[in-house]
Amino acid sequence: MSVRAFGSPARYIQGPDALSELGALVRLHGQRPFVVADTIVMDLLGARLEAELVEAETVTFATFGGECTAAEIDKLAAAARAAGADVVIGVGGGKAIDTAKGVRIALRTPLVIVPTIASNDSPTSRLVVVYTADHVLSEVRLMDANPDAVLVDTSIIVQAPARFFVAGIGDALSKKFEVEQCAAAGGLNFFKGRPTSLAVTIADACYRAIRADGEAAVAAVAHKTADDGVERVVEATILLSGLAFESGGLSIAHSLTRGFSTVPEVARALHGEQVALGLLVQLLAEGREADFMADMLAFYARLNLPRALEDFGVETEAVVEGIVSVSWDTAPYIRNFVQPLSKERLADAFRTLAGLRRAE
Ligand SMILES: [Zn+2]
């Protein structure tokens, strides 16, 4: 019997104007912060970040090139070393955050994560998803510990296009179903342990929060308003979603992102949009009832989440075999699944979705 394991960031702070906590938070960990952010984030927040970090000895701002590649991580790690950085701060979306995590692995310094969009489950975890320069997923690296702090300023989160917020919901929706499959199948989480019951409970709470508040929160974000519902959904899409997958484990929905990353039209979509479609495939492979699927598909439609490969601009029949085959061969957690599973069953699920989409 394997051990049970659970991990999390040491601290999580979320709310309107939470960025004003950054200076004090960073001072707990170092005096010479190295900030990884892309040019868009620097244009929006550079002056504010400088002001928040004014009490640091020195602050180095590194421009992130846009893709989390091994070369980008090496380049920024060298710059951080040259600057004598003693704490790394990753500011931005998933790829900037993952690059900051890569720098943290190289330097072994503390790490503070400041997501500016709520589009995925990356901020709280130890995972670094590394891509090739052509945007094909190449490897997943692991930090030896979770981020020291994750700071989520919801006044910034609601300024981003609503598409990012919806993608975060897509990424979070899958957790209940993936964690349940992983736990029931005796699969391991990202700490190489069995999921604790806490992780299963978190995944369930994540799903319930999104179903209860998701639609209203998307409407509020469209008006750039952070109300209580938005706060509950951001907690679900960043904190609960991250804790759930890392300590609860994954299954088919995330496994399919391996295959998706080989189809350019789908690879260009946001991670959460890919996971959302992957979840529908998983639910069909689970043999869910028609009523359950209809309810889920209607929820997807109201949020404008993808419901078939055609929503990414590709024909299911043209790409389905390749997607299933790459996922089957390369995703380590595709077998965290209790029902009988085969490549044919997965491909059939994609075809069923395409048919349902045509009939809408
Ligand atoms: Zn994810």
Side-chain angles (χ1 to χ4, degrees), residues 121 171 175 254 271 275:
D121 54 15
D171 197 13
K175 300 302 157 43
H254 271 73
H271 168 77
V275 170

